[in-house]
Amino acid sequence: MKGVINMHIIVLIKQVPDSREYVRIREDGTLDRERVRAVINDCDKNALEAALQLKEKFGSKITVVSMGPPKAEDALKEALAMGADEAILISDRRLRGSDTLATSYVLYKAIERLGHYDLIICGIESSDGGTAQVGPELAEFLGIPQATFVDEFKVIGGYVEAKRLVEGGYEKLRIKMPVLLTIMKNANNPRVTTFSGILKAVKKQVVTWTIDDVGAEEKKVGLAGSPTKIMKVEKLSFQRKRLMIEGETADEVVDNLLKRLVEDGVIRGGY
Amino acid sequence: MTGYSGVWVYAEHRNGVISKNTLEILGKGRELADKLCVELSAVLFGCNVSSSANVLTIYGADKVYVTDDEKLRNYKTRTYARLMTELILKHKPEIVLFTASTTGRDLAPRVAARLRTGLTANCIDLDIGDFEDKETGRRYEKILYQIVPAFGGNVVATIVTPFNRPQMATVRPGVFPPPEKIFRKGEIVLFKPEAIDVDEEVEVLEVNRSQEESSLENAKIVVGGGLGVGGPEGFKLLKELADSLGGCVGVTRPVTDAGWMPYDSMIGESGRTIRPDLYIACGISGALHHMIGVRGSRKIVAINNDPKAPIFEAADYIVIGDLFQIVPKLTEKVKKYVGAL
Ligand SMILES: Cc1cc2nc3c(=O)[nH]c(=O)nc-3n(C[C@H](O)[C@H](O)[C@H](O)COP(=O)(O)OP(=O)(O)OC[C@H]3O[C@@H](n4cnc5c(N)ncnc54)[C@H](O)[C@@H]3O)c2cc1C
Ligand SMILES: Nc1ncnc2c1ncn2[C@@H]1O[C@H](COP(=O)(O)O)[C@@H](O)[C@H]1O
């Protein structure tokens, strides 16, 4: 392949609470994180899988990058076991409370430090934050083009051809690299970690950087650097009329229900 | 921060036809602008779109900024983001709203990052109110409350952007009712930048938007099915009921996970938001993740054989019983006596 041999691909992964488990909320509205297992965000695995498939084709180098608490190292180790070459964790107490702007700023500084890259692949959205904003905001900081909601793409001589889903169909784009893509869950089936993968990964180290290491300004990160603030958190109330529909038989119950619905004007008929 | 005034809505359209979701947030935008006593403006970009601008005034905009140019024929993220940012910096609105569509969610974060301001994703409600900064004790008046489901939908959080302008949010499709036509006498402002900074690194090869969008959002009556329906066979019963009422079937997430029904029929936090006249929930427990998507329904009927099912808290009419008995009876009687509105 011309021009794209030895691509450097950066994959962004976030560690999130396992969404298949019931997330417990404490009385004060905060999340009970202790009891929830932490995993790699679902579609970030699809992002990594996409990178691994490119590596198999073009012989690329894959760097996985995550910003999070020290235990996010586990997610990065899993990524290494899946086949990533290098892993960077940006972890720093001063990052606590970062919103998407602060997060993408820090990721931008870290990626700048990494130097040359051809492709950045993210998941669409994180299952806990769920904003789908970090990818596009990061692309803006880096000044590179993006394609979001991508379910298929290929690399052809310095360009990415991506199919992105839109309401009622799709769009096909050809974009000059470097480019940032956000990948949908249905893009591929992430491989499972093999024993030999784990063995190989044992030798690889997760490198941890602080905000000083990446040269991020303290006032632009964490709570202070986040323009959005959580003002309050409350339980949702869905309370309604709650009228019990009575009846001796199913027939009667259904008659009584239909009568009510006709009275309410949501259906019309001979009741 | 002073000097920022007005509420803006970024208008989405398909070949000049303004999207329904844009009109929904225009309706909410009108309400917010009235609370703030400021103007409501819409922003319309595209090629041959000028004639659609008046639709936006009919539905409540005081002003529509239009850039109509061949270079804007196809949506390109950076071309549009640069233009939108330029317009915002020129006119300084205090609030900018987008629909949380694939376009809105592609464009808004680019614009927010360019402006170094906050952006809240997927709001289910918006309001105006005061915010007290606990650290400094200072009060900020009349700011935008951006209400979002948090922690996977179990609670809602109110997010504010007190110190930066504009305050920006994307809004979930379907959470607000479509507004009435109010035939406002709006002003159409043509915005002609000196040069449109087109993204030359991106080429649009093909646009295909021919698929019909799901009819679920537009259905007046929706029959919902959960795990209690038991399998694909059970959904035939629900489909018959929906057909007899001229409605559609929607489902909970475990149902699509199990492959009983297609993914795009999922309702809730990770699926669609509906606001039908009538929602009939069958064999659904009533998890908040699901209920977030149906809370705009006018009437909710819940059919469940567990008297303690949480869905009964959120229902207008409670039917305790086996759905396999109730639903076919309902279909039979509807066919005999009832027509949908
Ligand atoms: C991050 C996240 C996002 C999520 N997003 C969504 C979402 O968008 N939409 C969504 O729906 N869910 C979502 N979920 C899942 C959600 O939390 C619930 O697990 C789900 O809604 C429950 O589905 P259900 O009511 O069909 O199943 P269940 O909770 O198993 O309820 C089945 C009900 O059927 C009743 N039943 C059984 N048999 C009968 C019978 N014969 N007659 C009458 N009643 C019967 C039972 O009493 C029970 O109440 C999400 C979860 C997470 C963690
Ligand atoms: N803290 C983080 N570290 C690394 N990548 C992240 C982080 N947060 C978000 N991302 C990436 O951005 C995507 C969108 O996340 P979000 O904007 O939180 O929905 C995720 O799927 C990740 O690929």
Side-chain angles (χ1 to χ4, degrees), chain B:
Chain B
M1 241 166 58
T2 46
Y4 281 86
S5 167
V7 177
W8 280 21
V9 172
Y10 175 80
E12 276 184 43
H13 62 89
R14 209 188 277 193
N15 301 324
V17 180
I18 306 295
S19 87
K20 179 174 142 275
N21 303 325
T22 294
L23 298 181
E24 290 162 10
I25 44 173
L26 204 60
K28 191 66 184 187
R30 184 70 261 163
E31 199 185 306
L32 300 176
D34 289 344
K35 279 189 185 168
L36 290 163
C37 306
V38 297
E39 277 186 349
L40 172 69
S41 307
V43 178
L44 181 63
F45 294 161
C47 180
N48 301 326
V49 290
S50 302
S51 55
S52 306
N54 71 317
V55 175
L56 295 158
T57 63
I58 287 172
Y59 283 99
D62 297 301
K63 217 179 241 170
V64 185
Y65 294 100
V66 185
T67 306
D68 196 332
D69 196 296
E70 173 56 37
K71 291 187 183 122
L72 300 176
R73 180 177 293 280
N74 283 321
Y75 168 77
K76 278 194 195 179
T77 313
R78 288 198 294 179
T79 311
Y80 275 55
R82 287 165 187 159
L83 194 60
M84 187 68 185
T85 309
E86 193 181 333
L87 201 59
I88 288 171
L89 289 173
K90 190 165 169 207
H91 295 285
K92 299 193 163 46
E94 64 203 286
I95 292 172
V96 182
L97 306 174
F98 295 79
T99 54
S101 64
T102 53
T103 308
R105 298 178 83 187
D106 189 72
L107 179 62
R110 277 301 306 207
V111 175
R114 270 182 105 73
L115 295 164
R116 303 287 192 270
T117 190
L119 174 65
T120 304
N122 282 323
C123 294
I124 58 168
D125 203 359
L126 299 167
D127 203 356
I128 301 293
D130 297 346
F131 168 69
E132 197 183 293
D133 186 3
K134 290 202 184 87
E135 258 166 59
T136 60
R138 276 186 63 182
R139 251 186 118 66
Y140 296 82
E141 285 180 359
K142 290 191 169 184
I143 58 167
L144 180 67
Y145 287 176
Q146 306 154 44
I147 295 145
V148 290
F151 306 136
N154 285 288
V155 288
V156 286
T158 302
I159 311 282
V160 292
T161 311
F163 316 125
N164 300 61
R165 290 293 176 274
Q167 308 159 82
M168 289 179 52
T170 64
V171 181
R172 271 195 76 121
V175 295
F176 301 127
E180 313 259 307
K181 291 184 182 173
I182 54 174
F183 297 101
R184 224 170 167 87
K185 245 230 190 90
E187 182 191 350
I188 314 274
V189 184
L190 290 181
F191 174 58
K192 274 196 180 297
E194 273 180 31
I196 292 178
D197 191 358
V198 175
D199 186 349
E200 304 290 356
E201 283 165 16
V202 177
E203 189 188 341
V204 180
L205 302 175
E206 185 188 348
V207 180
N208 181 326
R209 307 192 85 170
S210 57
Q211 283 166 35
E212 235 177 88
E213 281 176 47
S214 156
S215 40
L216 204 52
E217 270 113 348
N218 298 320
K220 291 251 177 260
I221 295 179
V222 175
V223 178
L227 278 183
V229 177
E233 281 301 308
F235 275 97
K236 287 190 188 144
L237 298 179
L238 266 56
K239 180 83 174 65
E240 275 171 41
L241 177 58
D243 285 346
S244 70
L245 287 162
C248 289
V249 174
V251 303
T252 62
R253 191 166 94 171
V255 168
T256 59
D257 285 349
W260 298 347
M261 289 286 282
Y263 183 76
D264 70 351
S265 59
M266 189 210 303
I267 298 172
E269 151 108 59
S270 354
R272 294 174 185 278
T273 306
I274 57 168
R275 40 176 55 258
D277 287 338
L278 175 60
Y279 182 60
I280 307 177
C282 311
I284 292 176
S285 62
L288 291 165
H289 295 119
H290 181 74
M291 300 314 289
I292 278 174
V294 302
R295 66 187 193 131
S297 310
R298 247 178 80 199
K299 291 288 173 220
I300 295 181
V301 175
I303 306 172
N304 198 305
N305 58 10
D306 173 8
K308 290 210 257 330
I311 187 143
F312 288 146
E313 293 289 315
D316 296 289
Y317 298 119
I318 296 172
V319 179
I320 301 174
D322 181 3
L323 73 91
F324 294 98
Q325 282 180 6
I326 307 281
V327 170
K329 262 269 142 12
L330 206 50
T331 311
E332 182 195 313
K333 301 221 175 214
V334 165
K335 277 187 183 155
K336 267 198 203 137
Y337 307 115
V338 177
L341 275 186

Side-chain angles (χ1 to χ4, degrees), chain A residues 12-14 41 43-44 65-68 100 103 107 121-126 129-135:
Chain A
L12 294 182
I13 66 172
K14 184 179 181 187
N41 181 44
C43 51
D44 298 358
V65 177
S66 186
M67 170 183 135
T100 59
T103 302
L107 292 170
I121 314 182
C122 308
I124 287 281
E125 64 182 12
S126 55
T131 72
Q133 284 170 192
V134 168

